[in-house]
Amino acid sequence: MNYKDRKSSPVRVFSRKELKQLEQEPELCNHDRRTFLKWGALLSSQAVIGGGVLNLLTGEMAHADDTFDNVVQWVYSVCGYCSVGCGLKIGVNAAGEAVAVRGNDAHPTNAGRVCVKGLYEYKVLDDNDLRVAERGKYPLRRTSTGGWESITWDNATSLIAQKIIEAIDTAGPDSVGIYNTGQWTIEEYYAMGKLGKGALRTSTMDSNTRLCMAAAVYGYMTTFGSDGPPGCYDDIENTDCFFLIGTNPAEMHPQVWRRIANARKSSRAPKLIVVDPRRTATARSADLHLQIKPGTNVALMNGLLQQIIANNWTDNGYINANTRNYDALAAKVASYTPSYVSGITGIPAADIALAAEWIGRSQEVWSLFIQGVYQAMGGTDTVRQICAMHLITGKIGRPGSAPFSITGQATAMSNREAGGSSALAAYRNYYNPAHIAELENIWDVAPGTIPPHGTTVISSKSELQPEKNSMVEMMRKGELKVFWNACTNPAVTLPDLNALYSYLDFSNPSRPFVVVQDIYEPMETAHFADLFLPAAQWGEKTGTYTCAERRVNLGRQAVNPPGFELRPSYGAYSDLEIIKMVADKMAAMDPRFRTQSGDSLVGFNSAEEAFEEWKQVSAGKICDMSGMSYAALETNNGIHWPSTPANLLGGARLYTDGRFNTNWDRAQYGISPDAPWIDPDDKSRAYLWAVDYEAPPEVPDSQYPFWLNTGRVIEHFHSRTKTKRVAQLHEMVPENYVEISTEDAQSLNVATGDLVRVTSRRGEIVVKARITDTVRNGAVFIPMHFGDLDPSDVAENDGRLVSVNRLTINYVDKDCGQPIYKHCAVKLAKA
Ligand code: SF4
């Protein structure tokens, strides 16, 4: 079906009075059946029109085929989209088809509620609603004329194995790049980590979680000694002050927002501070909105730390017993007075002082942060400062107080835990010989098999940061021979796309052999693929998902993957099965890719078998899951790690005793025991970072006078591979747009709906204008979800280029390598 042929659905724009009522009613930011029916409308809670205006699809349209009547079985599951980790049940009819989703009433995370993506998640399993031909059912090989030919799985795995062996023999193991996702299961990450490091021996492994929350990981690892958010969702009801920085839960994580909003109505009445350059729905609900200038988070955090220290709101007992480097921190922030910080951030000095006072004087403080921190200038440093704020006030490790990172994808945490890309399994330190030797022993591979830690992240640009290496740089230089891209879409999500496309173009003689493993073809990255491997997705396989609060959930298979009847030659397989097929083929072809006993490294034959092996790898480690089982995960509606047989459910909060993972034998990261955060006295103390504000690499000037900010809408997920194929979601936000302030729109002579040309030093796009007071003058916002290569998008946009990452700068955080998507400079003109 052509998207343009779809009947456009009526969109109701509510009056200001109705909007006020909606914004104050947290239940309506969530979508259980009761509110669905009560309003006769599906609330997307998305500021797609601007100014926090809520865009509603009429209930009649949304409800047309949303029925539970034909459900004969509800299959236990968890949402496969975002990291909130809502418990779901998938409704299956007598024919074995998925026909509904409902929230799991007993699940503590969402208590039966789901957001709009979750509500329609079964649609991605519904062959009648999707263009079935676009679900991959056949492995495909690129022909000499640029088309596809289908090949058997046997031939496909032989081809990928040959290409990998050829690359290793001619250019070394690191010429094989593996780039994966935050949407697999723990079992799949564990298998890929084992194949990549234990058999292929490549250190060129990364995942799209680099784009998503690398700053949180590096901030945690270099402060606490290890990754892992210290708190849990139950802190929400136990705090006195919410400090939300770079996050918009009212529109992006509505189940978290529901709990925050309900907590705010309680007798405890916690305060709400929101730091955001945009006046989002969350910011409009705040007691104090700090509308910060782009790229200045580090300066603000130093200002808050300065005020907390200057006013003696510190916990000196906690500082002395449980932290190091306090004096350097205090000296560093001393000059960051409110008036000085106001000059950098644009926030009134009195508001900075008031925010610090609320944080300093509140008994308990809960900080929430996401991409506005991670994808901004100084992302890792900002996370370190947030952690420092909790440490110097002693507000950590008890109910209601924690720094709490959230993330975009359902299993970004799982990738890091299981070592599916750049990390080593179970938070082992790549640089600690004892950790490496232990894992090699468990895996039955020879000492020295696991390669040295790679510093190769997915993206960087040598012109801007010559010291950084990346897979994109390796592509540019012709050093990457195989690029195995699984369950992610870099042709939409990486920065500076025009440059990437030139490296991957089929006319480039030094391009790598590109394998794309995904659920749909077409999808943008598959435009550049030599080999396409059709994968099963959420609901079509069983596995485990770690959500943002370290709760591991179980998602069970509800339906068979597409092309199941074509097996074993064709048909989509789970990523775990595909990884095993490749591992087995490589082991059969070449003894170098076997264990010391002569077996394939991926020996398990089911997801549950893989989980049982993984549990043993995690035993005794920071993210210990040895107490869990599939049965226990379902019975308890998820279990936090650490979880041991002796203490199954005791992992809700970390660092309750003020002891951290900074001793060398336990630390997850650190090139040597001399790393600043490694406690030289083995006292497990946290490290306080003293950092300075640094201006972003590109700021508006006379030629490119606007700040460009990129972000998300709730109706879509990542590059829309799935959500653009769900009619209800597509119709709510069918095309990309640019938010422009009223004053700037007048200067540019544009109105909502006009086409606007947005140009940066790297590219140009043409999108429709939305005039709004969500953005301030001199700043624009464009969603990150939209590609412009797939036929459906070309048709929807009449051939216009619309992908915002054609504009963004390929500049990455100095510590964690996460690209800065939240600010670069652009110019605008009416098209
Ligand atoms: S997308 Fe996130 S908030 Fe929405 S239902 Fe899924 S897990 Fe919950």
Side-chain angles (χ1 to χ4, degrees), residues 302 306 309 325-336 690-692:
N302 269 354
Q306 186 273 343
I309 291 169
N325 208 39
Y326 175 75
D327 290 344
L329 169 67
K332 176 67 73 180
V333 303
S335 61
Y336 284 80
V691 299
D692 257 324

Side-chain angles (χ1 to χ4, degrees), residues 79 81-86 88 114-115 117-118 121 252-255:
C79 182
Y81 283 121
C82 91
S83 70
V84 173
C86 296
L88 304 180
V114 290
C115 80
K117 284 198 292 289
E121 201 162 5
M252 296 301 123
H253 297 99
Q255 302 309 324

